[in-house]
Amino acid sequence: MAPGAKILVTYALLAPINPGDEVVVPDPGYPAYRSMVEFVGGVPVPMPLLEERSFAFDPVILAELVSDKTRMIVINSPNNPTGSLLSADDLNAVAGIVRDGDIWVLSDEVYCEMVYDRPFLSIASIPGMKERTVLLDSFSKTYAMTGWRLGYGAASKSVADAMSLLSGNIHSSAAEFTQHAGLAALEGTRAPLDAMVKE
């Protein structure tokens, strides 16, 4: 367990991104993506999320934004702040682009439990994508623990080891009471979560 999503975004970018690498980021999107890409020396490449596509990105535009300098594509589904959800076709389009190059996906899935009209699908579930995906999630939204700074990442061993090294040297560990709260959230009933999503 590690701190919340903002710190995890930094770790996920520091591990595979070198100065000058391009990172495609959703626009509009969570502001930390762009600022953290710049912080680690990368070049953010805005990917427009258009209203006519219900704020889901256009795979044709995404393909045009990818260059030989692209090292990562950030996806956030459901998206903060638009609430857009990527379809299976959209995720397969990203997977096709990623498989054609030496590209990682940073999949921010903090809102994955806040899906109302269709099942949530993670890009990591697409064959061949688990090895190229850094998945981030947090207890903040799902378990109403905003501000407790408890989250987690999942990635291939090389990236996870780098993230763990950064984590251990920067913040050591999450507060003990926060870890106990996270454990209670995982082991307890889903009734509060289901009621929140229903409302």
Side-chain angles (χ1 to χ4, degrees), residues 1-5 7-8 11 148-153 167 171 173-174 178:
M1 303 261 180
I7 295 294
L8 286 170
Y11 296 161
W148 292 40
R149 300 294 176 234
L150 186 66
Y152 58 92
S167 173
H171 72 269
S173 67
T178 306

Side-chain angles (χ1 to χ4, degrees), residues 26 34 43 54 73 92 104 190:
R34 186 183 195 103
V43 179
S54 300
I73 298 170
N92 279 302
W104 287 88
R190 285 184 54 95

Side-chain angles (χ1 to χ4, degrees), residues 10 12 44 82 117 123 165:
T10 306
T82 69
D117 58 349
I123 194 165
L165 182 63

Side-chain angles (χ1 to χ4, degrees), residues 1-42:
M1 303 261 180
K6 196 177 294 185
I7 295 294
L8 286 170
V9 167
T10 306
Y11 296 161
L13 291 166
L14 277 169
I17 303 301
N18 293 310
D21 287 345
E22 292 182 354
V23 179
V24 178
V25 296
D27 182 23
Y30 183 49
Y33 303 140
R34 186 183 195 103
S35 63
M36 291 296 107
V37 169
E38 291 171 344
F39 175 75
V40 302

